[in-house]
């Protein structure tokens, strides 16, 4: 997949390559996925301007994929207010406006200005902005259609915001998802505490970060590889989760907790099953062993730093004068962890779909489905052969 587009440019574009033919795509489901990314308590008012609708420009005919690249476009409604500022040609207006000369600590501004030799950080931040994730979520919804057709499901929920953690002990995944989808912090527990943390930060002109968890169910064992380090699914999932803007940490299952425990408290005992390959007594590995899926739910977590645009800014340098100054402020989120979880789903779906297509025939959905079914049947037969 390739995305293009500036935050206040006319549109975002995603080109998704490698989709099998014959995958039914429901535009209402795509729209619902886009709406989930726009929501979240603590978002700035940009999301009130945008109505992220997806236009399909290639790869789809009468609601089914053709096997050709899928091109998706998401219009930036806010572009109407920026046409003279983000113009592809012509000369800048006398008062260019909206220049950013005081780079924000934590954002791409300063390093981008230095690397690309730009006087105005606008040239950097327009692309570094997380607005780009709308394109990835759009493409992710197409991939979700493929995975759903194979009975593979991807969900997410927020596990911490501003230092407040959700206590989900004893809740099933279904309960977690039902609760998380019902509130604007996308958390299964601790809503009031998290909301208060966002409100308190906002009142202080400050921001918060947090953690989200993406869970994939219905996977066969063996996606990924232990044969080459960079093909381990752990590695590819880490890259995907870390590609979500502002995510600075990633774990598979409760990896950081596991690191402090003994082996006997961490590893998932292997138990026989009457009709299928052995299963596990627990899933503390988060669904991965040896770089491959175990067949249990795949659990990926992302840790998001606090948003770097602060109403009460930190110190910075004015890049026009070289003088110390306050960093620039422009309309911004106070907390975007709920949306980051939705983006997390999209990037995980890409990795999982890619791994599926590597292992199973992928020209058409029906051949992919047959090939996966044969593999699952083979796993069952192999165990039957032992009895
Ligand atoms: C959904 C989402 C929304 C975001 N909104 C903002 C925002 O409003 N203001 C901001 O400064 N950063 C925001 N960020 C984070 C920046 O995009 C990110 O910090 C920046 O691109 C620098 O990249 P890095 O933090 O990954 O190093 C958001 C991130 C996500 C995932």
């Amino acid at each position: 997949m390739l995305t293009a587009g500036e935050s206040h440019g006319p549109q975002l574009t995603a080109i998704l390559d490698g989709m099998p033919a014959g995958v039914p795509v429901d535009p209402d489901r795509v729209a619902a996925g886009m709406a989930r990314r726009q929501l979240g308590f603590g978002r700035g008012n940009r999301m009130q301007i945008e109505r992220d609708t997806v236009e399909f420009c290639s790869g789809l005919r009468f609601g089914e994929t053709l096997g050709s690249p899928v091109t998706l476009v998401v219009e930036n409604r806010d572009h109407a207010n920026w046409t003279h500022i983000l113009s592809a040609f012509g000369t800048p207006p006398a008062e260019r406006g909206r220049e950013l000369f005081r780079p924000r600590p934590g954002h791409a501004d300063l390093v981008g200005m230095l690397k690309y030799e730009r006087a105005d950080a606008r040239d950097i931040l327009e692309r570094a902005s997380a607005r780009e994730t709308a394109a990835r979520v759009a493409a992710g919804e197409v991939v979700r259609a493929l995975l759903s057709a194979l009975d593979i499901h991807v969900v997410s929920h927020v596990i911490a915001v501003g230092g407040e953690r959700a206590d989900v002990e004893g809740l099933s995944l279904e309960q977690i998802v039902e609760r998380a989808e019902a509130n604007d912090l996308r958390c299964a527990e601790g809503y009031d505490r998290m909301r208060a943390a966002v409100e308190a930060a906002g009142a202080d002109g400050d921001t918060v970060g947090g953690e989200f968890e993406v869970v994939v169910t219905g996977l066969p064992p063996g996606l990924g590889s232990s044969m080459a380090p960079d093909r381990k699914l752990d590695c590819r999932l880490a890259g995907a989760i870390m590609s979500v803007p502002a995510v600075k940490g990633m774990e598979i299952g409760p990896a950081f907790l596991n690191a402090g425990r003994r082996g006997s408290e961490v590893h998932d005992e292997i138990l026989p099953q009457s009709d299928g390959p052995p299963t596990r007594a627990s899933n503390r590995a988060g669904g991965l062993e040896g770089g491959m899926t175990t067949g249990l739910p795949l659990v990926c977590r992302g840790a998001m730093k606090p948003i770097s645009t602060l109403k009460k800014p930190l110190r910075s340098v004015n890049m026009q004068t070289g003088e110390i100054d306050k960093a620039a402020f422009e309309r911004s989120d106070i907390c975007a962890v709920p949306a980051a979880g939705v983006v997390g789903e999209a990037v995980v779906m890409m990795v999982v779909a890619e791994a599926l297509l590597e292992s199973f025939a992928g020209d058409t959905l029906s051949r992919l489905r047959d090939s996966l079914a044969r593999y699952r049947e083979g796993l069952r037969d192999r165990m039957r052969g032992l009895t």
Side-chain angles (χ1 to χ4, degrees), residues 79-144:
H79 178 64
N81 306 314
W82 290 71
T83 44
H84 61 300
I85 289 165
L86 286 181
S87 171
F89 296 107
T91 45
E95 271 201 28
R96 292 183 65 172
R98 300 181 190 165
E99 296 100 333
L100 200 146
F101 297 131
R102 293 168 289 129
R104 296 159 297 171
H107 221 294
D109 305 347
L110 176 61
V111 191
M113 288 167 100
L114 301 176
K115 174 180 165 76
Y116 294 102
E117 300 180 4
R118 310 310 296 176
D120 179 0
R122 169 97 19 232
D123 294 346
I124 306 304
L125 69 97
E126 281 293 325
R127 182 63 187 151
S129 159
R131 178 84 189 125
E132 181 271 344
T133 61
R136 277 196 275 170
V137 169
E141 289 307 318
V142 177
V143 176
R144 191 193 299 279

Side-chain angles (χ1 to χ4, degrees), residues 37 43-44 104 106-108 128-130 133 242 244-248 304-309 331-334 336 339-340 343:
R37 194 203 71 95
R43 301 303 297 279
R104 296 159 297 171
H107 221 294
S129 159
T133 61
M242 297 287 282
V244 180
V247 169
K248 298 295 141 185
M304 184 181 195
K305 72 186 183 187
I307 297 288
S308 49
T309 307
R331 185 183 52 197
S332 182
D333 299 329
I334 298 166
V343 182

Side-chain angles (χ1 to χ4, degrees), residues 163-375:
E164 298 292 341
R165 301 195 73 81
D167 178 6
V168 296
E169 189 77 33
L171 292 180
S172 68
L173 182 61
E174 288 70 28
Q175 288 169 321
I176 289 174
V177 171
E178 198 184 322
R179 289 177 180 209
E181 290 296 329
N183 69 67
D184 57 9
L185 279 170
R186 307 196 61 254
C187 64
E189 196 277 333
Y191 180 84
D192 292 342
R193 286 180 288 117
M194 291 187 197
R195 189 183 166 110
V198 178
E199 281 173 336
D204 290 342
D206 218 327
T207 61
V208 289
E211 293 169 48
F212 61 83
E213 179 175 274
V214 178
V215 184
V216 189
T217 55
L219 291 170
L223 293 189
S225 175
S226 57
M227 300 301 169
D230 60 342
R231 289 178 59 212
K232 288 179 77 173
L233 211 64
D234 317 47
C235 160
R236 296 153 65 178
L237 288 164
I241 292 280
M242 297 287 282
S243 79
V244 180
V247 169
K248 298 295 141 185
M250 191 272 176
E251 61 178 345
I252 306 280
F256 290 98
L257 258 180
N258 285 349
R261 289 177 171 154
R262 289 185 169 191
S264 58
E265 301 167 320
V266 169
H267 302 300
D268 303 310
E269 286 184 305
I270 301 173
L271 302 175
Q273 253 195 135
S274 57
D275 188 27
T279 184
R280 305 307 174 99
S282 52
N283 185 24
R284 293 179 289 225
L288 282 181
E289 275 177 353
M292 299 169 286
T293 52
T294 59
L296 265 63
L298 175 63
V299 182
C300 304
R301 294 178 178 164
M304 184 181 195
K305 72 186 183 187
I307 297 288
S308 49
T309 307
L310 306 183
K311 214 169 204 165
K312 229 189 239 172
L314 294 172
R315 286 183 300 174
S316 179
V317 167
N318 184 322
M319 296 296 281
Q320 295 258 286
T321 64
E323 302 288 318
I324 189 160
D325 203 342
K326 292 283 181 198
F329 173 77
E330 64 177 43
R331 185 183 52 197
S332 182
D333 299 329
I334 298 166
C335 170
V337 186
V342 175
V343 182
E345 287 180 34
V347 297
V348 166
M349 288 191 284
M350 302 276 169
V351 172
V352 165
E354 233 172 49
L356 265 166
L357 295 172
E358 277 164 18
S359 290
F360 304 100
D363 287 338
T364 68
L365 173 61
S366 61
R367 284 212 291 276
L368 179 57
R369 204 185 258 138
D370 288 351
S371 163
L372 186 57
R374 266 199 311 280
Y375 173 68

Side-chain angles (χ1 to χ4, degrees), residues 135-154:
R136 277 196 275 170
V137 169
E141 289 307 318
V142 177
V143 176
R144 191 193 299 279
L146 166 68
L147 297 178
S148 304
L150 300 168
D151 228 2
I152 295 169
H153 301 286
V154 183

